[in-house]
Structure formats: structure tokens, C-alpha cells
Amino acid sequence: TGLQKPMGDLHTASARVTDSFGSMATKVALAGAAFVGFQSASSAISGVTGSIIGFDKEMANVNTVLLGSNVSIGDLQAQLLRLPPSFGSATDLAKGLYQALSAGIEPGKAVAFVGEQAKLASAGLTDLGTTVKLTASVIDSFGLSAEKASHISDVLFTVVGRGKTEFAPLAATFAQVFPLAKNLGLSFEETAATMTTLLKVFPSAGQAVTGFRGSAVNTTQILWTWNVTPGAAEYNLLFGSEALYSNVP
């Protein structure tokens, strides 16, 4: 009929428009996917760049405390990057290295020390900075070697476990008794054992530290009353160290 040709032309035109829109939608979808992919890639690159910048910044800090040392920054960086990824990010490890060196840990032993503290941080559910600070304080206060870091970590973890406390509050207060304990002639192990027992009596690490100080002061007064010069043996006697020792491996 006379309408067939115009209607056929209309269907053809409509199909072309539909194809055109379909093609356009496909192109828009592909462009959108490409944009999302670009954003993801851009974010990933930004993250990597940020990590590199952060690591370089921390290693620059490390370099400032290496003056006069025979250990090169390159050697320390290589050792640090060989630590297992499970120990934490390279940036966090580098920051821990700076803290360790600043606390007086020998450069040649610092990376191994940081590795031990990273394991302690993971086991104690705390951060690397906290474990580095506390362990370095133990080493400094009791005149120990950085090579004892693993043993110190074991003792600290035992205090946390058997004293039924958490690492963060213990770290925030425990170091306060170190100078007193050292002056009393107590070893780190004896100090840790005493603290473990007090943690079972007092509801918090802070109160246990207060109890430690009070016990030490009272014991000193008793010993001076007896005209006895305070020393480790005397304090062991009054603190009941035989029972306390069972708390330390």
C-alpha cells in the first residue's frame, strides 16, 4: 500500500537510532569502567608513593642518629627490608628502628632488636613503638645487653599473661619502678615476678605500681630498723621471692 514504504522507512530509521544509542551506551559504559579503573590505579599508585615517602622520611631520621657509627644507613635499610612482612610495614619498622637507636640500642644490633619487638607487639596486641620503648627502658635501667631482647620479651609477655593485664597499660606504668628496683638491688626478673604477683592483687597496672613502691619503701624502713643495708638478698626474703620466681620462665 501507499503507507508500507513510509512505515518501512520509519522502522529502518528507528532501528538505526536504537543501534546508535546502544553503541553510545556501550561506549559510555566502557569509558566509565576505564575511569573507575584509572581511579583505582591512581589510588594504588598514591598509596605506594605515600609509603615510599614515609619510609624515606623515617630512614632519614635514622641517619641523624648514626653519626659517628661504623654502620651505614644502606646496610640498616637492607637488613630492615629483609624482615618478614608480618612484622609490619617498612615505614613502621623504620620508625621503630629510629626509636631503638634513639634509646641507645647499638646500631649493629638494632634491626634484630626491632624484629624481636615487632613479634612482641603482635603477641601483646600493641604497637611497635610501645614495645621498643619498654624493652629499651629495661635494658637501660638494669644494664642489660640488646641481645637479651628476646628473653626480656618472654618475661614481659609472661607478666601480661599471668598478671592478667594488657600490654599497653603495663607499658605505661611498669618502667616507673625500674630505677627503684635497680637501687634496691633487684634484677629485672625479680622485678617482673614481683609485679606479676601485685597484678593479681590490684585491679590495674597503675595501682600495682603504687603497691610496688609502697612495699619497697616499707621494706627499706624495716631493713634500716634492723641495721641491715638493703640488698637483693634482703628484699628477696621480705618480698617472698621463692614464690615470686615461679611466675618467671
Side-chain angles (χ1 to χ4, degrees):
T1 64
L3 291 175
Q4 286 180 330
K5 186 177 186 305
M7 288 300 292
D9 291 342
L10 179 60
H11 283 301
T12 300
S14 176
R16 288 175 179 171
V17 170
T18 301
D19 289 343
S20 178
F21 275 117
S23 178
M24 184 180 297
T26 300
K27 291 177 180 178
V28 169
L30 290 174
F35 180 68
V36 171
F38 172 77
Q39 283 189 315
S40 298
S42 178
S43 297
I45 292 171
S46 296
V48 171
T49 302
S51 296
I52 293 173
I53 292 174
F55 178 71
D56 286 345
K57 178 182 177 181
E58 295 300 336
M59 290 308 297
N61 291 336
V62 168
N63 199 34
T64 63
V65 292
L66 284 179
L67 298 177
S69 170
N70 294 326
V71 179
S72 72
I73 185 69
D75 288 341
L76 287 181
Q77 179 170 311
Q79 292 176 40
L80 200 67
L81 292 175
R82 284 197 294 267
L83 292 177
S86 59
F87 283 8
S89 71
T91 300
D92 288 342
L93 292 172
K95 185 175 182 179
L97 179 61
Y98 171 71
Q99 293 172 322
L101 291 169
S102 298
I105 302 299
E106 296 176 39
K109 302 175 182 177
V111 173
F113 175 83
V114 169
E116 288 293 338
Q117 298 320 297
K119 289 189 286 186
L120 178 59
S122 178
L125 300 178
T126 188
D127 61 277
L128 179 59
T130 297
T131 58
V132 166
K133 183 177 180 181
L134 180 57
T135 304
S137 181
V138 171
I139 289 172
D140 180 60
S141 298
F142 293 95
L144 304 177
S145 166
E147 295 169 345
K148 292 286 187 179
S150 179
H151 171 67
I152 294 170
S153 295
D154 289 341
V155 173
L156 291 174
F157 194 67
T158 298
V159 174
V160 170
R162 297 188 180 178
K164 300 187 184 307
T165 187
E166 295 181 354
F167 200 96
L170 177 71
T173 56
F174 193 22
Q176 296 174 20
V177 306
F178 292 168
L180 174 61
K182 178 64 175 177
N183 288 336
L184 296 179
L186 299 177
S187 69
F188 167 59
E189 291 79 7
E190 291 164 343
T191 303
T194 302
M195 188 65 176
T196 300
T197 299
L198 292 173
L199 282 167
K200 295 179 179 180
V201 177
F202 293 95
S204 71
Q207 289 173 307
V209 166
T210 301
F212 190 107
R213 287 172 170 169
S215 298
V217 170
N218 291 336
T219 301
T220 301
Q221 292 173 342
I222 292 172
L223 291 173
W224 283 119
T225 299
W226 292 348
N227 292 320
V228 174
T229 301
E234 289 73 28
Y235 281 104
N236 288 343
L237 174 65
L238 292 178
F239 277 131
S241 64
E242 290 303 318
L244 298 177
Y245 283 145
S246 64
N247 292 310
V248 177

